[in-house]
Amino acid sequence: MTDTIALPAAPEIERAVLAALFLDRRAITEAVSIIGQTKNAFHKPTHEIIWDAIIALHEKNCPVDQLSVADHLHTLGKLELVGGEATIAGIAAESRSTANVRYHCELLKEKALLRMLIGTMTSARNACIEQVNPIEVANSVQSAIEIVHDSGKRYVKWLEEIMPDAYSVLQKWSESGAETFGVPSGFPKLDMLTGGWVPGRLIIIGGLRGDGKTALAMACAMNAADRKHAVLF
C-alpha cells in the first residue's frame, strides 16, 4: 500500500537561510542553535549539502563565502551535485539581511519534524499491516515523539541573555560583603573563581591520576560539613 503525498517543505526559506549565512558568522551560530540538532533540516538535497559545507568551514574557523564554500565542495567532489559555482554564487547574491534567520530556522525545524513524524507513522502503519510486534512499533513511535519534545529545548544562549542574571548575582554578592554567595569550599582562591558551591551547578574536578582530585573533593566536603551543610560523598 503506497500513497503519494507532498511532504512539508519550504525550499525558498531554505534558500533564504543559506543566503543569510554568507553575511555574518553570528547568523551561522544562531542557525546551529536552532536546527543544528535537527536531522535533515533542509528538505532539498542540494541545500543540505551546502549547509553541511558551511558548517564544516565554520567549525574550522575558516571564512564562509561563496569561493570558500565552492572550493570545499569541489574538494569533496560535491560541487557539481549542487549545480556548480553558479548555484553557490546565486544563493550568496541573495544575501540581504540576517534579521529573520531565527524565525526562518524555526520554520525549517518544524517542517523537518513533521516530515520525520510522517515517515515514522507511515512505517508504523505498514508494520501494523504486516503484523509486526506491536511493542516494537510503539517503541519506534515513542522515540519519534520524544525527539519532537526534545526539539523544544534550546542548547545555546547569547551572552546578552545571561548577563542580566549574572550581573544581579554578582551585585548582591558585592553588597552582602560575604566571601562567597554559595557554600564556601574552604579554599578562598577557589571560591573567588566559583563563588562557592551554588545550587544547580555541576563543577567537575579534572586531573591526572595522583594529582589529588579525591583529596581536594574530600577537603571541600569536610569544610562544608563543618559549616553545618548537608554533604554526600
Side-chain angles (χ1 to χ4, degrees):
M1 183 184 298
T2 59
D3 297 326
T4 301
I5 59 174
L7 295 175
E12 293 305 317
I13 291 180
E14 292 179 6
R15 193 175 176 93
V17 169
L18 293 175
L21 303 186
F22 285 100
L23 283 178
D24 189 350
R25 297 188 74 91
R26 184 184 173 96
I28 301 176
T29 303
E30 182 85 14
V32 170
S33 73
I34 300 170
I35 59 176
Q37 303 295 323
T38 303
K39 185 177 181 181
N40 298 324
F42 293 82
H43 182 54
K44 192 171 181 179
T46 55
H47 291 166
E48 185 78 13
I49 293 173
I50 296 171
W51 162 260
D52 289 340
I54 291 174
I55 298 307
L57 291 171
H58 180 67
E59 290 177 345
K60 295 177 182 178
N61 203 30
C62 295
V64 177
D65 53 46
Q66 65 183 72
L67 295 178
S68 300
V69 172
D71 181 69
H72 181 75
L73 291 174
H74 176 73
T75 301
L76 297 177
K78 295 182 177 181
L79 183 58
E80 295 307 315
L81 290 178
V82 302
E85 295 182 6
T87 298
I88 307 298
I91 292 175
E94 296 174 9
S95 303
R96 296 291 183 270
S97 170
T98 63
N100 297 322
V101 167
R102 170 168 290 279
Y103 176 70
H104 286 164
C105 286
E106 291 288 358
L107 288 177
L108 294 188
K109 181 171 73 171
E110 178 181 297
K111 294 183 183 301
L113 291 173
L114 288 172
R115 293 194 298 270
M116 183 268 295
L117 286 174
I118 290 172
T120 299
M121 298 309 172
T122 301
S123 297
R125 184 196 68 171
N126 293 337
C128 289
I129 292 173
E130 295 171 5
Q131 300 185 37
V132 174
N133 187 311
I135 294 179
E136 294 181 8
V137 177
N139 285 340
S140 67
V141 173
Q142 181 63 33
S143 296
I145 293 173
E146 290 176 356
I147 290 174
V148 174
H149 281 303
D150 289 343
S151 70
K153 298 178 181 178
R154 193 171 166 206
Y155 299 94
V156 177
K157 290 187 177 181
W158 294 113
L159 187 60
E160 58 263 29
E161 293 180 292
I162 63 175
M163 280 304 295
D165 289 339
Y167 179 78
S168 177
V169 170
L170 292 174
Q171 187 176 36
K172 290 179 180 178
W173 182 17
S174 176
E175 292 172 351
S176 70
E179 293 181 358
T180 68
F181 58 87
V183 177
S185 67
F187 298 92
K189 290 186 178 181
L190 177 61
D191 290 338
M192 285 297 295
L193 296 174
T194 65
W197 309 124
V198 181
R201 284 186 182 174
L202 172 64
I203 297 178
I204 299 175
I205 301 174
L208 299 175
R209 180 180 298 178
D211 279 352
K213 300 185 297 295
T214 302
L216 175 60
M218 177 64 78
C220 291
M222 292 180 65
N223 288 326
D226 287 342
R227 291 174 170 81
K228 310 302 181 183
H229 293 285
V231 174
L232 175 64
F233 188 86

